[in-house]
Structure formats: structure tokens, C-alpha cells
Amino acid sequence: MSSDKDRDSASSSGPEIATPTTSGPPSPQLTASQQYPAAPPSGENHHHILILLSLIYPATIVLGSLFSIISPIGQSASYFSRKNNIFNVLFVKIGWFWTTAAFLVHIANLRHPNATHARSKALIRWGLATLAWILVTQWFFGPPLMDRTFTGTGGACRPNYAVQPSSLAIKAERASTSAACKGAGGKWDGGHDLSGHAFMLTHASLFLWAETLPRLVDSMWRGTIGPRNISPLMAEWFGVHWFVWGILGLWWWMLLMTSVYFHTWPEKVSGWLVALFEWGILYAYMIPLNPQARQWFGTPTV
Ligand SMILES: CCCCCCCC/C=C\CCCCCCCC(=O)SCCNC(=O)CCNC(=O)[C@H](O)C(C)(C)COP(=O)(O)OP(=O)(O)OC[C@H]1O[C@@H](n2cnc3c(N)ncnc32)[C@H](O)[C@@H]1OP(=O)(O)O
């Protein structure tokens, strides 16, 4: 069985995301009497599936925003319109932690023949995704990009002199991040407030899809098209997929709620667009199309 490195240098002609597995898929020399395809879909198909899946997120933003405009339910307050709802506080507000945990469970269970090498490359890709998340939401040589966008488009922290003690009001006036402004009791007001939720939920979901898709497709192939055997499939589901699917499902729902209850159209769209950046360069362009990039960053695998 060839290693990731061998495979990467050999495959210069097109996308190759998944690798063959050591156990499971039947050999290509199947007799005509066998009713299922000889192997799970190839890496090239994964690339196309991934691009299609990425359309879920703009569609969700459009759907939620339209719903908030035309439906009375969308306009009325609900549990999910509260900032302190439990899913927001316990999950989205520390969303990169949960995304990382689901990703770690996935890579801990890789069945790639050279899993150590595959894991180290996967951790490099996680590092790039983490860096993108940090630059946009936490720190960009000072305030993060989302706060710089806000102040760069005329926004500022407005103190409320009427109710705030003057020391806090001065602190608010000087705040250059939304967190500092909130901490000083000011109002983050007036600029383009790129939706951090739209960014993070889309960015994290696209990362998880890209990393886990080969394994998900492989498991589905085994369960529905390939040789049917329910117990390994159950082990797959309870051992690996439940966490990733749970997080993907919750991120989708919270993006829908953000689209219904929070932010303006342009703020949600800019959050989504910024989320495409790192994912688009790495997973939609470099890994499928550039053999050199595959050497450096590896390819998501089963
Ligand atoms: C090799 C083998 C391994 C084996 C392994 C086995 C398993 C091991 C298991 C486990 C180990 C795990 C190890 C992990 C290590 C990881 C390291 C880390 O990553 S630690 C980082 C954690 N920190 C985060 O994750 C922060 C994430 N949060 C953020 O970045 C921000 O909060 C962000 C961008 C999501 C949101 O920022 P905004 O809330 O300030 O801004 P806006 O989205 O524009 O929202 C404006 C307002 O609208 C509300 N809003 C918007 N949408 C809402 C919604 N849907 N629901 C409620 N409110 C909403 C918001 O709550 C906000 O309100 P308001 O300003 O707070 O008052």
C-alpha cells in the first residue's frame, strides 16, 4: 500500500481526496454477479460533493433572512432570538472548541494505512483553519478583522454618559474591539458589523465537511451500496460520525437562527463570504488542483 507521500506525488492529474482502505472495499476484479460498484466514489467526486454541500450555507442565510421578513413567526421573539439561549452560550460562543473536539475524534479514528502521517497533515490543515478563525474573530495584530471592518466603516463604541460613570464611559470611548466595548458598557454602533456567527458557523462547517467527507462517503457506500453489514456500520456511526454530524447539524440550525433573528443582510453575507476564503483556497482549489500543495498539506482521508 502506498503512503500518502507516494500517492500525492503520483497523482498530478487531478483531485484525489480519499485513499483506498486496508479493509472493506472489494477488489476491482469483481465478477459480474456482484451487484455493487467495486469501490467507493473517488476523490474527484468528493471534490464535487464538497462544492455542492458548500451551497447549503448561502441557501440557509437567504432562507432565514426571507423568513424573518415575510413570516410573522420570524418576526416574533422566540427562545432562539435570545442571545442567552443555551445553544448559543454553551456551544456557539465556544464553537471553535467544539469543532476542534469533533475533528479530533475524527482523526483519532482514521483507518488510513499510514494514520500517523495522515493525522499530522490533518493537524496542519486544522492549524490553518484555526489561524483564519483567530485572524477574523480574535486578533489581527491588534483588534480582529471583524472589529477592524467595523471601525473602518465608521463604527465606534458609543458610551452612554447618562447612565455610565465617567471612568467607564471614557473606557468605552477608547474601546477598539466589540468585546472591550461591551465590557465597558458601551454600544458598538454605526459601522458594518460583519456577523461573527455567520462567519464562524460557516467556516467551521466547511472545515468539518472537507475533513470528514471521504470517511462519510466511504461509510455510506459500505452501508447502502457496498457489501451490507450492519454491525461495522453501527460501530462507525457510534464511534466516529455522531459527533461530527451533531456539530454540523447544530451549526446549521444556529446559522438559520442567526439569519432569522440577527444582523442585516450585508452583515450576514460578508460573514459568509469571509468564511469561504481559507476553505476555498485550501480545499476547493489547492488540494484538488495542485500536487505540490498536496505534498505540503496532505489530503483529507478515510
Ligand atoms: C490525536 C488524538 C486526539 C484524541 C482526541 C479525543 C477527543 C478530545 C476532546 C476534546 C479536546 C478538545 C481540545 C480543543 C482545543 C481547541 C482550542 C480552541 O479552539 S479553544 C477556543 C474556544 N473559543 C471559541 O471557540 C470562541 C468561539 N467564538 C467566537 O469566535 C465568537 O464568539 C463568534 C465569532 C462566534 C461570535 O462573535 P460575537 O457573538 O461577538 O459576534 P456576532 O456573531 O456578530 O453576534 C452579535 C450578537 O448577536 C448575537 N447572536 C448572533 N447570532 C445568534 C444566535 N444564533 N443565537 C443567539 N445570539 C446570536 C451574539 O450572541 C452577539 O451578542 P452579544 O454581542 O454577545 O451580546
Side-chain angles (χ1 to χ4, degrees):
M1 182 69 64
S2 63
S3 73
D4 234 10
K5 216 172 170 188
D6 300 333
R7 186 174 45 79
D8 291 342
S9 49
S11 62
S12 55
S13 57
E16 186 182 346
I17 295 183
T19 52
T21 54
T22 41
S23 61
S27 79
Q29 294 90 35
L30 289 171
T31 62
S33 62
Q34 280 167 300
Q35 294 296 300
Y36 49 85
S42 71
E44 187 163 359
N45 288 331
H46 292 159
H47 181 229
H48 294 141
I49 299 170
L50 191 60
I51 303 283
L52 274 177
L53 285 169
S54 74
L55 300 177
I56 294 173
Y57 302 96
T60 302
I61 291 174
V62 170
L63 197 76
S65 304
L66 283 177
F67 188 70
S68 72
I69 297 167
I70 57 182
S71 157
I73 302 172
Q75 287 152 9
S76 67
S78 84
Y79 180 67
F80 286 99
S81 68
R82 286 162 45 181
K83 288 177 177 180
N84 65 352
N85 81 69
I86 198 140
F87 298 97
N88 192 42
V89 175
L90 286 187
F91 290 93
V92 185
K93 284 284 185 180
I94 49 165
W96 198 250
F97 168 83
W98 290 112
T99 304
T100 303
F103 164 76
L104 289 177
V105 168
H106 165 70
I107 63 165
N109 285 286
L110 289 182
R111 56 168 122 82
H112 188 280
N114 189 354
T116 308
H117 183 257
R119 265 183 212 120
S120 58
K121 296 287 182 185
L123 284 169
I124 293 175
R125 296 190 298 273
W126 172 82
L128 292 175
T130 302
L131 183 66
W133 164 71
I134 289 173
L135 296 179
V136 176
T137 67
Q138 311 293 311
W139 173 88
F140 183 81
F141 306 98
L145 283 170
M146 59 187 239
D147 290 345
R148 286 181 184 274
T149 310
F150 183 78
T151 48
T153 51
C157 185
R158 316 248 182 254
N160 189 343
Y161 290 105
V163 295
Q164 278 178 303
S166 64
S167 63
L168 214 54
I170 291 167
K171 220 172 162 191
E173 211 161 46
R174 292 197 187 131
S176 60
T177 66
S178 62
C181 181
K182 204 175 152 196
K187 189 165 186 283
W188 200 231
D189 189 36
H192 177 85
D193 189 13
L194 182 147
S195 167
H197 274 62
F199 164 77
M200 209 221 34
L201 296 170
T202 309
H203 175 67
S205 302
L206 291 177
F207 167 73
L208 282 179
W209 277 122
E211 286 297 326
T212 60
L213 190 65
R215 180 65 174 262
L216 291 173
V217 170
D218 188 74
S219 299
M220 277 154 94
W221 177 83
R222 283 158 192 268
T224 56
I225 302 155
R228 295 194 191 163
N229 193 344
I230 201 73
S231 57
L233 201 70
M234 297 289 273
E236 276 284 285
W237 173 257
F238 289 108
V240 191
H241 296 313
W242 67 273
F243 202 173
V244 169
W245 278 102
I247 294 294
L248 280 171
L250 183 59
W251 283 181
W252 174 79
W253 174 255
M254 293 307 281
L255 180 65
L256 185 66
M257 293 303 106
T258 296
S259 307
V260 174
Y261 296 115
F262 299 92
H263 290 281
T264 62
W265 269 99
E267 289 168 352
K268 286 174 277 198
V269 170
S270 58
W272 165 71
L273 273 177
V274 175
L276 291 184
F277 195 69
E278 184 266 346
W279 173 86
I281 295 177
L282 188 65
Y283 295 103
Y285 177 68
M286 286 177 80
I287 290 178
L289 300 173
N290 184 331
Q292 183 66 53
R294 282 199 289 281
Q295 294 264 348
W296 291 339
F297 305 117
T299 52
T301 187
V302 290

